[in-house]
Amino acid sequence: MRALCWNGVNDLRVETVPDPEITSPRDAILRVKLSTACGSDLHFIDGYLPTMREGDVIGHEFMGEITAVGSEVRSVAVGDRVVVPSFIGCGNCGYCQQDLWSLCDNTNPNAELQTPILGYPTAGIYGYTHAFGGYAGAHAGYVRVPHAEENCFPVPDEVSDEQALFASDAWATGYMGADFCDIHPDDVVAVWGCGGVGLMAQQSASLMGAERVIGIDRFPERLRLAREKAGSETIDYTAVESVVDVLQRMTGGRGPDACIDAVGMEAHGTGIGYAYDRVKQALRLHTDRGDALRQAIVACRKGGTLSILGVYGVLDKFPMGVVMNKGLTVRTAQQHGQRYVPQLLDHAAQGQMDPSYLATHRFSLEDAPRGYEMFKHKEDGCVRPVFVP
Ligand SMILES: [Zn+2]
Ligand SMILES: [Zn+2]
């Protein structure tokens, strides 16, 4: 099959690789119908996230059709159109049982690469470094899905491929971020970042009943999407002196009840085991990125909620004293997709929320390297490139 492979820093190539095979009776093989790029992929493409190996197939947001199942798979079958969350859950461990799927104890076979840094391993993820399990990714003709019963979610007929695609990560992540805010009807929710996850967080916050949602970014097309698709008020942070002051003015001096960080530290990654020098270098290259979280902490009203979806390294400076003195509640996680996907598919089927506008550009898999370039540089208003194998 053809697949998009990482071959080194900023070196993505579409290559012919062996088709995946069933390796456990609980596996399924999917023919990928659609996959999309994620901002977190840029961390290893740019070389800021180690434990990638030459030839690794990348991609972790996808949907497709089941073409084979292992002998113990009963609840899904060949021919099912399904969406698969990016983090792999086992369904049996204590974390999966508590709906904390990205913390699964059993799906990262390379736990020893994470435990020195994190203390305990996270779940595995498709196409995202060997520290996160070394699973082959989904920018490919086919992909192997372990624990198929727990990870394959059949898509209702009323839901399009593109709607289902974003449920696999961007939508689930944004929705989880809004869910973390425990939104009340008169709440104001501010969201840093109007990319795929940020837009989904804004729309989800509205759906959950927030009175006002404010989106913060610098790209005019993304701010327009926030206003038109998510119904948000917007702040172009390059056009104002202080985002914190503007938010205070917009909220009568009180501050937003909840602040969602959907930016993260672009050049920073999840930082398993890399040198501090590299972090400093990264920060110099992307100084505007680390500001989002600090702004959110200062802008948030006293006793408010800070929901962190952006991806951070393990050495970040975090103003704990501000969080503590203001009595903020901090909620954060990599997405627990399996907990949210059924709700998301239901929202799509009922016409309550439609994420398909994130798919601003469509490429054949052969053109995926160009799609990533466009995505990385946000050319032509690119929010998410979608790849069709
Ligand atoms: Zn992602
Ligand atoms: Zn588990």
Side-chain angles (χ1 to χ4, degrees), residues 12-311:
L12 299 179
R13 293 178 225 159
V14 180
E15 295 173 353
T16 300
V17 303
D19 286 5
E21 289 174 359
I22 301 268
T23 58
S24 141
R26 294 180 200 151
D27 285 353
I29 303 292
L30 228 69
R31 179 176 66 80
V32 179
K33 294 187 80 179
L34 295 176
S35 65
T36 184
C38 175
S40 65
D41 294 332
L42 301 176
H43 305 321
F44 62 74
I45 293 172
D46 289 342
Y48 293 112
L49 196 54
T51 75
M52 287 296 286
R53 291 183 200 152
E54 241 178 82
D56 282 349
V57 179
I58 69 168
H60 62 259
E61 306 194 16
F62 61 102
M63 58 80 59
E65 188 182 309
I66 296 179
T67 55
V69 293
S71 59
E72 290 176 21
V73 176
R74 302 267 179 276
S75 65
V76 289
V78 170
D80 286 356
R81 189 170 65 113
V82 298
V83 57
V84 178
S86 53
F87 275 86
I88 303 164
C90 78
N92 286 319
C93 74
Y95 293 100
C96 289
Q97 301 260 312
Q98 291 178 71
D99 261 346
L100 302 171
W101 296 81
S102 66
L103 306 179
C104 176
D105 250 345
N106 290 327
T107 56
N108 187 346
N110 300 329
E112 75 282 0
L113 295 175
Q114 287 196 336
T115 45
I117 309 290
L118 301 180
Y120 314 91
T122 68
I125 178 171
Y126 303 90
Y128 201 83
T129 79
H130 288 265
F132 281 88
Y135 290 91
H139 297 325
Y142 296 86
V143 62
R144 181 177 76 91
V145 177
H147 302 284
E149 295 198 340
E150 285 74 26
N151 293 289
C152 291
F153 291 84
V155 179
D157 289 343
E158 315 86 277
V159 177
S160 72
D161 286 354
E162 280 180 352
Q163 290 174 324
L165 167 66
F166 293 112
S168 86
D169 191 344
W171 189 7
T173 304
Y175 194 88
M176 179 185 75
D179 188 38
F180 280 169
C181 297
D182 191 18
I183 291 168
H184 294 81
D186 55 352
D187 278 357
V188 180
V189 178
V191 181
W192 276 256
C194 298
V197 171
L199 289 167
M200 291 298 100
Q202 291 171 45
Q203 254 183 304
S204 301
S206 289
L207 189 68
M208 291 174 195
E211 186 173 285
R212 294 168 66 196
V213 179
I214 302 168
I216 302 152
D217 206 301
R218 68 187 158 115
F219 294 100
E221 320 78 49
R222 293 184 175 203
L223 290 165
R224 184 180 57 76
L225 287 175
R227 286 189 298 271
E228 290 178 4
K229 300 291 187 180
S232 302
E233 300 163 61
T234 57
I235 300 172
D236 173 353
Y237 69 81
T238 62
V240 301
E241 189 82 358
S242 157
V243 170
V244 175
D245 288 352
V246 173
L247 284 170
Q248 286 179 347
R249 277 201 299 279
M250 290 172 85
T251 54
R254 183 164 171 264
D257 300 281
C259 291
I260 300 176
D261 169 11
V263 177
M265 212 164 275
E266 156 81 75
H268 211 157
T270 38
I272 305 303
Y274 64 86
Y276 188 58
D277 282 347
R278 190 138 209 196
V279 177
K280 286 200 296 195
Q281 179 194 29
L283 289 175
R284 279 200 296 277
L285 288 170
H286 297 270
T287 44
D288 59 327
R289 290 292 178 146
D291 287 344
L293 181 57
R294 283 187 289 274
Q295 283 174 7
I297 290 169
V298 178
C300 196
R301 77 156 163 83
K302 293 180 285 184
T305 300
L306 191 62
S307 170
I308 304 173
L309 304 175
V311 173

